[in-house]
Amino acid sequence: MKFKQILIYSLISIPVLFTSCSHDNYPMPNAGIKGAVVDAASGEAVQTEQPNGIKIRLIEASYGSNVSPNDFWAKPDGTFENANVFTGNYKVIPVEGAFFPADTAEVNITGQVEVNFKVTPYLTIEMNVTAESEKGAVKVAYKISREKVADKIISCKVLASAYPHVSNIINEFNVSHDLSGTEDEAILSTNYTDKISGLTSGETYYFRVAASTNNAYNKYNYSKIISLKIP
């Protein structure tokens, strides 16, 4: 008799269990957004790092002003992509990067949409790398410029790494300069040259220059990454 009671209870419980689980089948994200944060002067994507570079902020407009933003990182080359977004109307803006505040875009995200932002970086950096006659050494020449005056320029550094995503965080070799005591006009008129030694002959390294102003988020502006196989 006890076995029959257990069997009946089990048969009754099974439909209840499936009914309960059906309530947890929430819709999945069905849209996405991609694009780039672009230097308004040059038309090229703004170089950054990941993480701690540029955040792309999504704010769903239908929920009013109390909704929590959805942030995700841009890639080191200034492009971004998020394939897990719910269809809807959003305010989209790049934030916390080394550039002046950007305009907010209002976007109806349905399917896969592309949005590009034009910004003015605090600094821009041109760089080239050449091998030295000394074994395992390279010369990095660079110049810092800007389109608009911002905070004081406080530092610059040459970075080298065996990893492609070289940055202020990812590097095995670097040469840095404290520029906090140098007038900005002098910095912007200087052609800098630094040497990095101790590199392994026959290996490929990735080089980049970073420079920073005394900005609120302590973010760096970057040159493009240049790769070089060491002779």
Side-chain angles (χ1 to χ4, degrees):
M1 183 68 178
K2 187 174 181 181
F3 173 76
K4 287 184 179 179
Q5 288 176 336
I6 293 172
L7 180 62
I8 292 169
Y9 177 78
S10 299
L11 291 173
I12 293 171
S13 299
I14 289 171
V16 173
L17 178 63
F18 278 105
T19 303
S20 228
C21 290
S22 67
H23 291 297
D24 295 331
N25 295 329
Y26 295 107
M28 296 295 291
N30 55 359
I33 184 171
K34 66 178 182 178
V37 180
V38 177
D39 185 327
S42 68
E44 297 182 344
V46 174
Q47 300 294 307
T48 184
E49 61 182 297
Q50 187 188 51
N52 202 39
I54 300 170
K55 286 181 180 178
I56 305 300
R57 176 160 293 171
L58 302 178
I59 303 173
E60 194 163 2
S62 58
Y63 286 97
S65 59
N66 294 324
V67 63
S68 297
N70 177 15
D71 293 348
F72 63 96
W73 294 111
K75 299 174 185 178
D77 64 358
T79 64
F80 60 86
E81 184 170 6
N82 186 343
N84 297 300
V85 181
F86 289 100
T87 295
N89 294 315
Y90 290 83
K91 293 181 178 180
V92 187
I93 185 171
V95 296
E96 298 183 19
F99 47 77
F100 290 91
D103 293 332
T104 301
E106 295 188 4
V107 184
N108 180 17
I109 301 180
T110 303
Q112 302 298 315
V113 300
E114 182 173 349
V115 181
N116 297 311
F117 295 92
K118 290 184 178 181
V119 301
T120 300
Y122 296 142
L123 304 170
T124 56
I125 307 160
E126 295 295 328
M127 175 190 76
N128 64 71
V129 182
T130 55
E132 291 275 74
S133 56
E134 176 189 338
K135 187 176 180 180
V138 298
K139 179 178 71 175
V140 180
Y142 58 99
K143 186 172 176 58
I144 301 168
S145 61
R146 64 184 177 192
E147 289 289 322
K148 185 177 177 180
V149 176
D151 299 302
K152 173 74 182 75
I153 303 170
I154 58 173
S155 70
C156 65
K157 55 182 70 178
V158 174
L159 310 165
S161 175
Y163 298 94
H165 296 310
V166 57
S167 70
N168 184 51
I169 299 172
I170 303 171
N171 68 85
E172 295 87 68
F173 302 87
N174 67 77
V175 178
S176 62
H177 300 277
D178 180 357
L179 303 176
S180 57
T182 306
E183 294 292 332
D184 283 356
E185 291 76 10
I187 296 168
L188 297 171
S189 62
T190 299
N191 292 308
Y192 290 91
T193 302
D194 290 322
K195 184 173 79 170
I196 291 184
S197 304
L199 305 174
T200 303
S201 180
E203 296 293 326
T204 296
Y205 288 86
Y206 299 85
F207 301 88
R208 206 178 199 189
V209 173
S212 67
T213 61
N214 190 24
N215 62 85
Y217 294 106
N218 297 316
K219 295 297 179 72
Y220 285 85
N221 290 106
Y222 285 95
S223 69
K224 289 183 178 180
I225 297 171
I226 295 178
S227 63
L228 180 68
K229 187 174 183 178
I230 308 304

